[in-house]
Amino acid sequence: MFAELRRKKSESGVKNVFSSFKKKDEQRERDQKLMERLTHRLSMQKASPNFHLSPELPNKTKIKIGTLDMIARVIESPLFNTFIVLVVLIDFCLFFLDATSAHSVEKSASLGWGVCVAAIFAVEMCLKFVVYGFQGMLTNTWNLVDCIIAILTVVGVILEFTIGSSLGQTTTNSDSSFLDGIAQFCQGVMAIRLVRVIRIFRLFNILNSAKVMSIASELINEGDVRMPLILCLDILERVLTVLRQPHVKELVGDQMTEDDIKWVMNILQSEKLYFPTVQMDESLPEEVKLLLGSPPMNNPINTFDKIEILSKEETEKRVKEKIELKESIDLQNAFNSILTWQFDPFYLDNITNGKPLVFVSYYFFIMLGLIDKYNIDSNKLINWLNKIENGYKYCEGNQDKPINRYHNNIRASSIVCDICYILIQGNVVINLPYSEILAFLISVISLDYQHTGTSNLFLSRSSHELSIRYNDVSSLENHHASSALQAIISTDSDFLSSSSLPFDQLSSIRKLVIKLILSSDPNNHFTLLSKFSAKLIVSDTGFKFQDSNDRLLLMSFLIHTCDHSAPTKPSYIYKNWNERYLEELYIQGDEERLMGFNVSLFMDRSDQELVFKELQCKVGMLTLISAPLIDCVYEFLLKHCLKDQSSVAIDNLLSYLNENKKSLLSEHVIL
């Protein structure tokens, strides 16, 4: 009897634990959505671009923010804008009636209406100041014009009241004529408010964009994609929490322990899920273990020479010795910005005469100490970099084909800078051996070498020679890796064989380059995201820099992240990449139409709903691809690399992403 009571009590305790988890998750989701919705409005009132809101806020603050959100929804709604337009239209009609009327009753009624209009405008501006702040009002053209008109309207009403009462008391002709002049001036000031009639065009734009806003909101809200592996690990974490309850331990006993759950979690996030577990002597050769069905042992690196970063001054000096560039303020600005997340590759392309990739690649070969470490021939290295840069411009030497709008040397230089920024500023570089950093940099430079400007699917559908050569399996990525490595073999550009690298390391570098470039296939997105996220979730078995598999996963994930880093850039750079990306899609769509294929999604420039499709494409890329990747990288850097150090250097990774995410909702609405 007592055993039955204890069992029921334990079961109810487990249910209560899970119920509390569920309530906390629901509350956390509600708070998070509120924070995401309001961050952009409150950030307009802050001078710092790195302003972030924490979802863990006191209740009073949440009530205050909720009130602010409600006001913002009202003043940004089509209904409110329609009301303002109707007031302006009525004011427009009454003004002309007032101008042609001489009856005192109608004059007084007109003045009363003017007071009402001034009051409405004043309330509208006060609400906008509360929501957007002073800076937000000044930086937006529509809000600034509305504010000026509202102030003039209120001043005009006050002056008209004052002058109207003074006219009845004046006795001299000079005073009367003076007041008449001021009255006419006031009428002119009051007429300025009629300028707001142009708001009717803004209203039409808002109403026509309602569909766009609805689509964008749905996509952004649905953008939080969670992978099955992450859900499984999350559930197991909760099971662990339940197992730690004293009454649950008593109920379960030895049937299930914490070690059992941790073992399952470790297997799920490792590469051993589909390998059989074979008990064997560790001294057996690797070939025997392979025959027995066990995966080869991963030889951990316990110690390795840590990278010594050269100073910016020394790096700049050595770059100028080898790369001939005219000294200018623009060149110095390029040197100053090359190791920042705001780096502008289009600016660098202009001042390097179309050679941005050679410039940034050689810069980081020097800064990371790779040339000195392995006695690399700088001339041969630069020859190889020039070959790679030309390969980005002309696919397979075809100079008749236009340079890709998106997959080109400018984008390659941007990815190289992004990778090196994370390596250096994120403090990742000290956890990687020299040889792997060398392979890593070669992979990033060659990532889209000789890209056709089309997708793997297009190559397969059109029976392209690359698709036939590589059997429809990552055709582009295989071509990038193969061609870039072949370019190194040439006598004048073989900087690896002429270096001090041992032969076995040369073979390892080649294999790692191939693995990293092949991992950049877009089809690997969710696989990489699942594996990397799993490493972050499990606290006991996270990243181990001594494990080569973990380092490979890290480098693959960083390449994939920086390959999709455009939404994390300042808006002017992001918009430029967006335009180029869409144009490259449309060019492929044109080719598909000429070949008689069905035009792929987002690639039909003649689509009747082109505006909506473009917005869907942008929001999808940002919320489903870029945002989860950069969030994971940010969390990884804080947890495993920076630790107690300041995160200021990497805060821009999230701040620009959040700004671009919010701007998509208002992209087709004139604010």
Side-chain angles (χ1 to χ4, degrees), residues 593-642:
R593 187 179 289 104
L594 288 174
M595 293 181 176
F597 301 152
N598 292 328
V599 180
S600 301
L601 183 64
F602 303 132
M603 298 186 185
D604 189 355
R605 67 171 79 242
S606 62
D607 196 314
Q608 294 182 353
E609 294 188 339
L610 184 63
V611 174
F612 306 126
K613 292 294 179 62
E614 284 187 355
L615 182 59
Q616 286 179 328
C617 180
K618 293 175 186 177
V619 174
M621 287 293 293
L622 191 151
T623 59
L624 300 178
I625 307 295
S626 298
L629 293 174
I630 207 70
D631 285 342
C632 285
V633 170
Y634 186 82
E635 182 181 349
F636 166 79
L637 294 177
L638 290 181
K639 186 176 180 180
H640 295 281
C641 298
L642 295 176

Side-chain angles (χ1 to χ4, degrees), residues 486-504:
Q486 285 179 1
I488 295 180
I489 300 175
S490 301
T491 306
D492 62 339
S493 57
D494 192 357
F495 65 91
L496 290 181
S497 296
S498 61
S499 67
S500 60
L501 277 163
F503 181 78
D504 59 336

Side-chain angles (χ1 to χ4, degrees), residues 269-320:
Q269 66 169 335
S270 69
E271 303 290 335
K272 305 174 184 177
L273 183 60
Y274 299 106
F275 285 100
T277 301
V278 180
Q279 299 295 331
M280 61 179 68
D281 189 352
E282 294 293 334
S283 61
L284 289 175
E286 295 294 337
E287 293 79 4
V288 176
K289 295 176 183 177
L290 285 173
L291 289 174
L292 293 175
S294 178
M297 295 295 292
N298 177 33
N299 296 322
I301 299 178
N302 295 320
T303 59
F304 49 81
D305 294 337
K306 292 185 178 180
I307 289 287
E308 294 182 4
I309 307 296
L310 269 68
S311 66
K312 289 181 61 177
E313 293 75 14
E314 178 66 20
T315 304
E316 291 176 15
K317 178 183 175 182
R318 294 177 60 177
V319 169
K320 291 175 182 177

Side-chain angles (χ1 to χ4, degrees), residues 509-564:
I509 288 173
R510 178 179 175 277
K511 291 178 181 178
L512 184 55
V513 168
I514 294 172
K515 288 180 180 179
L516 290 174
I517 294 180
L518 291 183
S519 71
S520 68
D521 188 333
N523 290 330
N524 296 328
H525 169 71
F526 290 110
T527 302
L528 281 173
L529 185 59
S530 295
K531 291 181 178 180
F532 198 83
S533 301
K535 290 286 185 181
L536 295 176
I537 286 177
V538 182
S539 56
D540 295 334
T541 55
F543 271 91
K544 298 176 182 176
F545 285 107
Q546 292 77 19
D547 190 327
S548 61
N549 287 330
D550 282 4
R551 296 197 304 273
L552 174 61
L553 175 60
L554 171 61
M555 289 185 284
S556 300
F557 194 82
L558 290 180
I559 286 179
H560 187 54
T561 300
C562 294
D563 197 15
H564 297 85

Side-chain angles (χ1 to χ4, degrees), residues 21-32:
F21 278 138
K22 185 176 180 181
K23 290 180 180 178
K24 288 181 180 179
D25 283 347
E26 291 174 352
Q27 182 63 40
R28 192 181 299 112
E29 289 178 5
R30 287 195 296 269
D31 292 345
Q32 187 63 36

